[in-house]
């Protein structure tokens, strides 16, 4: 049976072997002597790297565990041949008359020789370029086809710089991080391998190549046009009479699509030629627009282009999810920072820096989905793909499209690789400038149709060499329609008649900035004006002199994971916590163990600048206590960072990017979730601070502020401020009502009076709630733990012994292996304050759940109860499922009244034979909130979403400051 038109991924059945251990040529391997599952051949990881393959076959230890990376030979010591590998697989492909097939490699690192059935092709150098080989005349129509690929490492893998910087690999067009950084250990094979997908593409006589979709907007986004240009390749030796169709559809509920446009054109393509064709634009009236996270829905249309050849039927098709949106930016005259607009609306950027998902390039749709959804869960709206990492993959962008994350894509220039370190490596950039530009242009074609892609940037901490920079400026120039930040000066008719169609540009829709500290970023002149990267006293982020420029592309801090992650990624000899050594000047220095040092641990103090933030809670005695106190620091640190920037929204700042949200290995600094996908408390500090409408305390002035980043004025709202002491009392309570918060503004509302009272407590809790007066729905909730100036949090240490009673009611929904658990937690230690109207915490939610079709879940009755009248909880759940559902109730007794402090859930697998030392966590889990606190009488609903491995029963555990032994609540 003939192979169907379309794409077929070759991701199974691959073998690999070190080239020096194979005494056969590529021709022999793919004709007379194909390999088998015998030494030196082993099961290969494709897509992946050589090191990933060696790890899979247990020929090297896990380089991310403890100090195991030190036992793996580095390419600088072994030579390039040691990591030069053969990869081999077989496939069948039977073509019918007038069918053609290409063998495609979406990326390899760094160059390769390809052998198919004895025929040789060379894949040229470059980590960020696609390769396509017409193998129509090479494949066997009957039987197996033998494919062998010999992959060579980068030309200049380099030796690990003894003092950082100066990376030799900078001479190649490849990822720069692999020689190691101040946050990363070196990758021993420098990511050599077939690191992206390999696939066959079967077509008829005419093939579609790299369509480009562009939208233009008129009449305040009411009239919208879709422009499209593509390349058509006629592989036959006769003129092809074609019908070229474009279909635009929207997906409705239940996987039903509604076709909004269907247009067909006829054209002739000369024999054995490639032509560019621009289709007539399609008109849309008030289409649904694509918005970034926090600004609106991420509306996507399915665009499908099909070419049929007369007498042959369908020849090729191409599809893409496309979002109608317009991104503009300019340098703001008031702040000097770059100000972005999406669909005409200013967007305050609160985002992050991204290296890559995994240092061994074990990339997958599942991992990408978790990574990107985590960023959306944190309420962030931009990801910067840092220049020392990857040109990210289409799957990464697919989930950024879905979850609304704007992307800053940087090319492969990193100033801290050039002209620095010992020895100085290469102050003039990549050696092959033409190769760099080829990879850049191919990357643009690969990614340009994604609505999430916001801008191109030449490099990190350095602009590209002049000739590269000039070429990129020319290649990525904006279409005249998009050059003006204000309303377009061209009419629709002028664009159609006088100007080149915008889809005929290489991009034409996004700005190009030469470097991360130029043109509205940092001081705009290329000087090192980003950071800092260390711990701060939280109030520093609010001070006038903290950061002087409008848009900070990198500001970082700590990122200690939870104790379970330390135990899972570091052997017991590395579980010793840092020593706290007092310096002659009275400051405290942390001295970590060698394993933590290797994993780039960053201390929680900065002598002469920031007090040790962990010791504010008392000296920890063991790993669990250290990591718990580190989570308190993570939460306050990252919440204050984003709140400090939001406090000066538009008046001083236009945006900030955290350095960074994650690590591509088991690092111990600069992260909000770890490599195993366990969130730190800093994750939820960010989630709190970056919500679109937010109530906050300015830690420098003690004024309560409301941040409204939305396009709507908020009226008829109130703020409730309550102070709680360690005895469960409420010595201060205030409500300010009938407030109006303008759109896109931060407003200072009132000054907190409590700390200035005659008898303030040395340490206290502050709960702020912003709510709608009409129905008491919560718009924002923010909980602080505070001490008097010059004080500390050491009173929390004896507070651990206070047992606060809780009632946890849970309901579980299951669809296949997907679980959703609703936890309803109530602090029952004391009745709610009679003055409060919002102790039930009914949150106002906009939008829908983008992960689960909630009504299709099956409700699971864990502990049946007698039927009662509908409760508040049942009312909350009434739209969640139409089925009758049981619930599980757990009550935790306590003899003290007070705040249930720093509660956090975790999900664990229950299997036969688990040992005490085994990591039983089920990861990842998406929590609607975690590391939260409840004042007396307060209720909170937390949603948990996760996948469960087959044969596993999940259990949910609750820990907290007052519940350190943990309680199984489901």
């Amino acid at each position: 049976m003939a192979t169907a038109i379309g794409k077929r991924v070759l991701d199974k059945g691959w073998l690999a072997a070190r080239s020096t251990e194979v005494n056969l040529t590529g021709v022999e391997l793919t004709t007379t002597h194909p390999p088998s599952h015998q030494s030196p051949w082993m099961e290969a990881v494709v897509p992946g790297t050589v090191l990933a393959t060696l790890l899979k076959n247990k020929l090297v230890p896990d380089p991310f565990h403890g100090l195991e990376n030190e036992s793996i030979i580095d390419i600088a010591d072994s030579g390039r041949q040691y990591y030069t590998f053969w990869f081999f697989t077989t496939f069948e492909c039977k073509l019918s008359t007038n069918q053609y097939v290409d063998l495609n490699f979406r990326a390899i690192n760094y160059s390769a020789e390809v052998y198919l059935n004895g025929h040789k092709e060379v894949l040229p150098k470059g980590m960020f370029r696609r390769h396509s080989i017409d193998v129509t005349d090479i494949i066997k129509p009957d039987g197996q086809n033998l494919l062998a690929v010999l992959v060579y490492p980068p030309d200049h893998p380099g030796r690990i710089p003894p003092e950082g910087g100066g990376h030799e690999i900078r001479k190649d067009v490849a990822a720069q991080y692999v020689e190691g950084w101040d946050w990363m250990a070196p990758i021993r094979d420098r990511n050599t391998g077939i690191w992206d997908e390999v696939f066959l593409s079967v077509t008829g006589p005419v093939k579609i190549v790299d369509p480009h979709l562009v939208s233009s907007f008129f009449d305040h986004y009411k009239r919208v046009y879709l422009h499209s240009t593509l390349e058509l390749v006629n592989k036959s030796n006769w003129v092809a009479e074609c019908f070229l169709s474009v279909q635009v559809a929207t997906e409705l509920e239940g996987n039903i699509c509604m076709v909004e446009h269907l247009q067909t054109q006829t054209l002739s393509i000369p024999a054995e030629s490639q032509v560019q064709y621009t289709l007539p634009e399609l008109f849309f009236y008030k289409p649904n627009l694509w918005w970034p996270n926090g600004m609106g829905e991420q509306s996507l249309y399915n665009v499908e282009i099909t070419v049929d050849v007369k007498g042959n039927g369908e020849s090729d098709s191409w599809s893409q999810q496309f979002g109608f949106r317009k991104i503009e930016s300019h340098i703001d005259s008031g702040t000097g920072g770059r100000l972005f607009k999406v669909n005409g609306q200013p967007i305050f950027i609160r985002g992050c820096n991204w290296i890559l998902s995994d240092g061994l390039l074990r990339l997958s749709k599942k991992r990408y989905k978790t990574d990107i959804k985590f960023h959306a869960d944190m309420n962030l709206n931009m990801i910067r793909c840092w220049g020392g990492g990857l040109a990210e993959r289409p799957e990464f962008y697919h989930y950024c499209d879905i979850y609304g994350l704007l992307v800053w894509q940087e090319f492969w220039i990193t100033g801290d690789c050039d002209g620095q370190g010992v020895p100085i490596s290469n102050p003039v950039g990549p050696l092959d400038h033409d190769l760099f530009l080829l990879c850049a242009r191919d990357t643009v074609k690969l990614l340009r149709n994604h609505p999430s892609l916001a801008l191109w940037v030449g490099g990190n901490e350095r602009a590209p060499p002049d000739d590269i920079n000039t070429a990129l400026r020319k290649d990525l120039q904006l279409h005249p329609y998009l050059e003006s930040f204000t309303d377009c000066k061209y009419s629709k008719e002028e664009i159609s008649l006088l100007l080149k169609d915008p889809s005929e540009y290489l991009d034409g829709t996004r700005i190009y900035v030469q470097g991360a500290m130029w043109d509205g970023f940092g001081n705009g002149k290329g000087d090192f004006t980003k950071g800092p990267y260390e711990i701060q006293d939280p109030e520093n982020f609010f001070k006038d002199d903290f950061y002087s420029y409008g848009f900070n592309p990198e500001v970082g801090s700590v990122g200690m994971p939870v104790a379970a992650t330390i135990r899972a990624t570091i052997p017991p000899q590395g579980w010793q916590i840092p020593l706290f050594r007092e310096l002659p000047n009275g400051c405290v220095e942390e001295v970590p163990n060698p394993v933590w040092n290797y994993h780039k641990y960053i201390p929680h103090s900065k002598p002469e600048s920031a007090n040790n933030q962990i010791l504010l809670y008392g000296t920890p005695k063991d790993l669990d206590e250290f990591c718990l106190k580190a989570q308190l620091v993570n939460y306050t640190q990252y919440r204050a960072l984003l709140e400090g920037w939001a406090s000066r929204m538009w008046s001083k700042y236009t945006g900030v990017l955290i350095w960074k949200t994650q690590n591509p290995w088991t690092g111990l600094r600069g992260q909000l979730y770890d490599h195993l996908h366990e969130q730190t408390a800093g994750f939820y500090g960010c989630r709190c601070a970056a919500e679109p409408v937010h109530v906050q305390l300015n830690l420098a002035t003690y004024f309560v502020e409301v941040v409204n980043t939305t396009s709507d004025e908020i009226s008829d709202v109130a703020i409730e401020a309550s102070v709680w002491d360690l005895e469960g009392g409420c010595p201060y309570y205030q409500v300010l009502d009938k407030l109006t918060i303008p759109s896109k503004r931060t407003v200072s509302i009132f000054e907190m009076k409590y700390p200035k009272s005659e008898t303030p407590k040395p340490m206290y809790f502050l709960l702020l709630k912003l709510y709608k007066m009409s129905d008491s729905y919560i718009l924002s909730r923010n909980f602080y733990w505070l001490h008097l100036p010059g004080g500390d949090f050491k009173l929390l240490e004896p507070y651990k012994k206070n047992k606060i009673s809780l009632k946890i009611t849970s309901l579980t929904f299951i669809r296949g292996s997907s679980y959703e658990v609703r936890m309803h937690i109530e602090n029952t230690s004391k009745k709610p304050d009679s003055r409060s109207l919002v102790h039930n915490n009914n949150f106002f939610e906009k939008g829908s759940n983008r992960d689960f079709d909630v009504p299709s879940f099956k409700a699971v009755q864990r502990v049946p109860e007698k039927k009662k009248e509908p409760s508040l909880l049942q009312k909350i759940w009434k739209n969640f499922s139409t089925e009758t559902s049981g619930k599980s109730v757990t009550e935790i007794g306590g003899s003290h009244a007070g705040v249930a402090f720093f509660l956090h859930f975790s999900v664990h697998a229950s299997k036969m034979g688990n040992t005490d030392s085994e990591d039983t966590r089920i990861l990842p889990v998406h929590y609607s909130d975690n590391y939260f606190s409840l004042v007396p009488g307060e209720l909170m609903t937390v949603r948990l979403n996760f996948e469960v491995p087959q044969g596993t029963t999940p259990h949910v555990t609750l820990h907290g400051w007052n519940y350190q032994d943990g309680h199984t609540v489901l």
Side-chain angles (χ1 to χ4, degrees):
M1 185 175 181
T3 302
I5 297 290
K7 174 179 175 180
R8 177 183 164 195
V9 178
L10 304 178
D11 59 355
K12 294 179 175 62
W14 285 86
L15 300 175
R18 184 170 282 112
S19 63
T20 55
E21 298 176 0
V22 177
N23 297 318
L24 297 167
T25 67
V27 173
E28 291 171 323
L29 288 172
T30 57
T31 53
T32 58
H33 293 81
S36 61
H37 286 79
Q38 294 181 351
S39 181
W41 293 91
M42 66 194 84
E43 186 178 351
V45 178
V46 176
T49 65
V50 168
L51 201 58
T53 289
L54 293 173
L55 177 61
K56 182 180 181 66
N57 290 277
K58 299 182 180 180
L59 296 176
V60 295
D62 184 349
F64 298 164
H65 189 270
L67 297 177
E68 297 289 6
N69 196 45
E70 289 297 281
S71 66
I72 303 173
I73 189 168
D74 191 81
I75 193 171
D77 300 312
S78 67
R80 293 175 66 245
Q81 268 197 322
Y82 186 80
Y83 287 109
T84 299
F85 264 61
W86 281 106
F87 293 86
F88 178 88
T89 193
T90 64
F91 63 88
E92 294 182 359
C93 183
K94 182 177 176 63
L95 299 179
S96 61
T97 304
N98 292 326
Q99 276 193 334
Y100 298 78
V101 60
D102 290 341
L103 173 63
N104 303 276
F105 296 82
R106 207 165 67 178
I108 56 101
N109 189 29
Y110 185 61
S111 61
E113 298 172 11
V114 176
Y115 296 85
L116 179 61
N117 299 334
H119 296 261
K120 177 183 177 181
E121 293 285 344
V122 174
L123 301 187
K125 299 173 183 178
M127 185 175 179
F128 305 112
R129 63 186 298 182
R130 296 170 295 172
H131 306 272
S132 185
I133 306 168
D134 189 334
V135 296
T136 305
D137 297 329
I138 300 174
I139 64 167
K140 298 176 181 179
D142 299 303
Q144 286 191 330
N145 295 277
L146 309 181
L147 173 63
V149 186
L150 181 61
V151 180
Y152 296 95
D155 291 348
H156 302 89
R159 184 170 295 278
I160 310 304
E163 296 182 23
H167 293 194
E168 278 286 310
I169 201 170
R170 185 64 195 84
K171 297 178 181 179
D172 297 330
V173 184
Q176 308 297 299
Y177 80 97
V178 291
E179 274 192 66
W181 228 270
D182 59 355
W183 42 265
M184 180 78 192
I187 302 296
R188 300 304 187 187
D189 68 345
R190 306 296 189 266
N191 281 160
T192 299
I194 305 173
W195 70 275
D196 202 354
E197 67 179 16
V198 185
F199 62 95
L200 301 173
S201 52
V202 178
T203 69
V206 176
K207 177 183 178 181
I208 297 171
V209 178
D210 290 333
H212 186 201
L213 307 177
V214 174
S215 48
S216 58
F217 303 86
F218 302 90
D219 296 340
H220 304 288
Y221 299 88
K222 293 178 184 176
R223 289 193 302 131
V224 179
Y225 294 86
L226 176 63
H227 308 258
S228 50
T229 294
L230 68 162
E231 304 284 329
L232 293 168
V233 179
N234 183 0
K235 295 190 172 190
S236 72
N237 57 7
W238 38 268
V239 176
E241 302 294 335
C242 300
F243 302 93
L244 186 63
S245 301
V246 57
Q247 174 182 291
V248 183
T250 53
E251 188 170 329
L252 306 177
E253 292 185 7
N255 297 320
I256 298 173
C257 289
M258 180 177 71
V259 176
E260 302 219 358
H261 271 287
L262 178 60
Q263 181 190 86
T264 300
Q265 302 290 313
T266 59
L267 66 155
S268 298
I269 305 176
E272 299 177 347
S273 67
Q274 180 166 337
V275 300
Q276 178 178 292
Y277 185 77
T278 299
L279 290 98
E281 64 263 20
L282 299 177
F283 171 70
F284 294 78
Y285 182 70
K286 291 185 178 180
N288 296 322
L289 301 180
W290 183 93
W291 292 94
N293 188 33
M295 291 186 72
E297 294 296 315
Q298 290 74 53
S299 299
L300 294 169
Y301 290 75
N302 297 317
V303 179
E304 183 173 0
I305 299 175
T306 304
V307 59
D308 290 79
V309 176
K310 188 175 181 180
N312 286 270
E314 182 178 316
S315 183
D316 199 8
S317 65
W318 175 92
S319 62
Q320 173 75 38
Q321 285 190 315
F322 183 75
F324 289 105
R325 63 96 183 95
K326 184 178 182 181
I327 296 179
E328 308 161 275
S329 72
H330 73 293
I331 299 175
D332 178 54
S333 59
T335 64
R338 184 161 289 276
L339 190 155
F340 288 86
K341 279 188 174 182
V342 179
N343 303 330
Q345 294 292 329
I347 175 172
F348 187 66
I349 298 297
R350 291 176 290 189
C352 67
N353 285 266
W354 167 271
I355 312 303
L356 68 159
S357 182
D358 177 66
L360 301 188
L361 301 185
R362 295 167 294 190
L363 310 178
S364 67
K365 291 180 180 179
K366 182 178 181 180
R367 188 171 180 92
Y368 272 137
K369 180 180 180 181
T370 298
D371 282 323
I372 303 309
K373 188 177 188 306
F374 271 179
H375 288 78
D377 288 347
M378 285 187 279
N379 290 314
L380 302 180
N381 55 27
M382 178 177 277
I383 297 178
R384 173 195 174 205
C385 293
W386 173 74
L390 301 181
E392 266 301 352
R393 302 295 89 195
E395 291 77 16
F396 170 93
Y397 278 89
H398 168 74
Y399 289 110
C400 288
D401 294 344
I402 288 176
Y403 291 115
L405 274 299
L406 297 172
V407 183
W408 157 336
Q409 180 64 63
E410 217 152 85
F411 295 117
W412 319 285
I413 299 286
T414 50
D416 38 8
C417 280
D418 296 294
Q420 301 180 24
V422 181
I424 293 175
S425 64
N426 176 42
V428 295
L431 297 183
D432 190 336
H433 290 197
D434 290 337
L435 174 60
F436 186 97
L437 288 169
L438 186 152
C439 289
R441 290 165 183 147
D442 199 54
T443 295
V444 173
K445 291 179 181 179
L446 179 67
L447 303 176
R448 62 189 177 184
N449 292 313
H450 289 278
S452 56
L453 179 55
L455 73 158
W456 304 102
V457 179
N460 167 58
E461 298 179 11
R462 182 180 170 196
D466 289 344
D467 59 327
I468 293 179
N469 195 35
T470 299
L472 289 174
R473 282 190 184 279
K474 181 179 179 182
D475 287 345
L476 297 173
Q477 63 181 320
L478 289 172
H479 188 277
Y481 159 72
L482 288 168
E483 285 180 346
S484 174
F485 188 66
T486 56
D487 290 338
C488 179
K489 60 184 178 182
Y490 297 95
S491 68
K492 170 64 180 65
E493 290 70 25
E494 288 176 314
I495 290 177
S496 299
L497 296 175
L498 304 178
L499 303 174
K500 185 165 69 171
D501 189 279
S503 64
E504 294 179 29
Y505 280 56
L506 179 63
D507 187 328
T509 66
R510 302 168 178 90
I511 62 163
Y512 166 75
V513 176
Q514 62 182 319
M517 292 181 291
W518 277 262
D519 303 328
F521 303 119
N523 73 352
K525 302 175 182 178
D527 301 317
F528 191 92
T529 45
K530 54 186 182 179
Y533 300 91
E534 310 91 359
I535 193 79
Q536 301 291 322
D537 289 326
E539 60 268 23
N540 289 354
F541 293 107
F542 295 84
K543 293 180 178 177
D544 293 339
D545 60 353
F546 180 69
Y547 184 75
S548 302
Y549 307 103
F551 195 118
N552 192 342
E554 293 181 14
V555 57
S557 190
V558 292
M560 190 67 192
V562 299
T565 291
I566 294 294
R567 292 191 174 97
T569 59
I570 290 175
Q573 57 267 33
W575 296 354
Q576 179 187 355
I577 65 175
L579 301 175
F580 296 94
R581 184 168 62 193
E582 186 171 348
L583 301 176
N585 62 4
C587 297
V588 174
E589 178 186 44
E590 285 183 52
V591 183
N593 69 63
V595 185
W596 288 25
N597 260 337
Y598 191 81
H599 286 255
K600 313 299 183 179
Y601 174 78
I602 185 172
H604 293 79
S605 60
K606 185 181 178 183
E608 301 178 1
S609 174
N611 295 322
N612 190 287
Q613 298 295 295
I614 283 185
L615 294 185
L616 289 177
Y617 298 91
T619 303
K621 64 181 183 296
D622 56 25
L623 180 65
D624 290 294
E625 188 177 341
F626 180 90
C627 289
L628 177 59
K629 290 179 176 178
Q631 299 318 309
L632 291 164
V633 176
N634 283 336
Y635 194 103
T636 57
Q637 189 76 182
Y638 285 101
R639 176 177 61 181
L641 188 161
L642 289 181
E643 287 184 340
W645 250 267
S647 182
R648 306 294 184 91
M649 180 174 66
W650 312 130
S651 62
K652 184 179 180 182
Y653 300 129
T654 60
V656 61
L657 302 179
I658 295 170
W659 181 265
K660 48 197 173 8
T661 45
Q662 50 78 242
N663 280 297
W665 77 307
T666 51
L668 298 180
R669 69 161 64 189
Q671 62 186 357
L672 299 171
Y673 63 91
D674 61 42
H675 192 248
L676 305 183
H677 278 156
E678 172 78 88
Q679 301 94 328
T680 73
F683 184 107
Y684 298 97
C686 281
R687 178 179 173 84
C688 172
E691 55 190 352
V693 177
H694 180 63
V695 60
Q696 65 183 39
L697 179 68
N698 185 312
L699 296 177
T701 66
Y702 264 59
F703 271 79
V704 173
E705 302 168 337
V706 176
V707 181
N708 179 11
T709 66
T710 74
S711 301
D712 300 319
E713 178 184 88
I714 301 171
S715 59
D716 196 31
V717 295
I719 295 175
E720 178 190 81
S722 58
V723 169
W724 298 82
D725 58 31
L726 295 177
E727 290 75 40
C730 182
Y732 176 90
Y733 182 88
Q734 183 177 2
V735 173
L736 272 80
D737 56 11
K738 299 179 181 178
L739 302 174
T740 297
I741 314 299
S743 167
K744 308 287 184 184
R745 287 278 303 278
T746 297
V747 181
S748 183
I749 305 297
F750 67 94
E751 183 180 9
M752 279 291 300
K753 301 296 184 182
Y754 176 75
K756 297 181 179 180
S757 65
E758 294 182 3
T759 57
K761 302 284 186 174
M763 192 248 140
Y764 58 96
F765 304 110
L766 170 65
L767 178 59
L768 299 175
K769 293 185 181 182
L770 175 70
Y771 62 94
K772 297 170 67 177
M773 294 182 64
S774 59
D775 52 19
S776 297
Y777 272 109
I778 303 291
L779 298 174
S780 175
R781 177 188 183 274
N782 203 348
F783 181 89
Y784 295 85
W785 49 102
L786 302 165
H787 59 71
L788 296 182
D792 55 41
F793 297 111
K794 291 179 181 177
L795 287 175
L796 280 173
E797 191 64 33
Y799 189 67
K800 288 179 182 177
K801 299 177 182 179
N802 288 19
K803 301 306 175 187
I804 312 298
S805 57
L806 293 175
K807 181 179 179 181
I808 302 102
T809 307
S810 62
L811 186 65
T812 303
F813 295 86
I814 302 175
R815 185 183 64 191
S817 62
S818 299
Y819 277 64
E820 174 152 341
V821 180
R822 290 271 176 122
M823 290 289 180
H824 187 69
I825 313 100
E826 180 181 1
N827 181 338
T828 56
S829 68
K830 189 178 177 181
K831 290 184 178 180
D833 192 297
S834 60
R835 296 168 289 183
S836 177
L837 301 176
V838 290
H839 62 275
N840 285 339
N841 283 328
N842 295 324
F843 282 88
F844 179 75
E845 295 186 15
K846 297 174 70 174
S848 60
N849 189 308
R850 289 168 289 188
D851 282 316
F852 297 101
D853 180 15
V854 173
S856 69
F857 274 70
K858 178 183 177 182
V860 177
Q861 184 170 325
R862 304 293 285 260
V863 180
E865 293 189 345
K866 293 181 180 180
K867 192 171 182 180
K868 302 176 182 178
E869 290 299 313
S871 65
L872 171 65
L873 183 58
Q874 290 169 323
K875 292 176 183 177
I876 293 173
W877 289 331
K878 69 179 181 179
N879 293 321
F880 188 71
S881 173
T882 56
E883 300 181 34
T884 303
S885 53
K887 58 185 179 181
S888 170
V889 178
T890 300
E891 296 198 30
I892 300 174
S895 57
H896 297 81
V899 171
F901 183 55
F902 217 51
L903 304 171
H904 48 282
F905 290 109
S906 57
V907 183
H908 299 263
S910 177
K911 291 182 179 179
M912 295 295 293
N914 280 347
T915 64
D916 292 339
S917 60
E918 186 178 349
D919 184 8
T920 62
R921 291 174 297 169
I922 292 176
L923 297 172
V925 180
H926 297 277
Y927 302 92
S928 63
D929 203 357
N930 221 357
Y931 295 97
F932 59 94
S933 303
L934 294 175
V935 304
E938 195 179 18
L939 300 88
M940 176 85 77
T941 299
V942 176
R943 187 175 66 249
L944 292 71
N945 292 28
F946 52 92
E947 299 281 328
V948 172
Q950 188 174 5
T952 300
T953 301
H955 289 285
V956 179
T957 300
L958 176 69
H959 285 85
W961 193 257
N962 311 96
Y963 317 92
Q964 300 208 10
D965 291 335
H967 293 268
T968 298
V969 294
L970 180 66

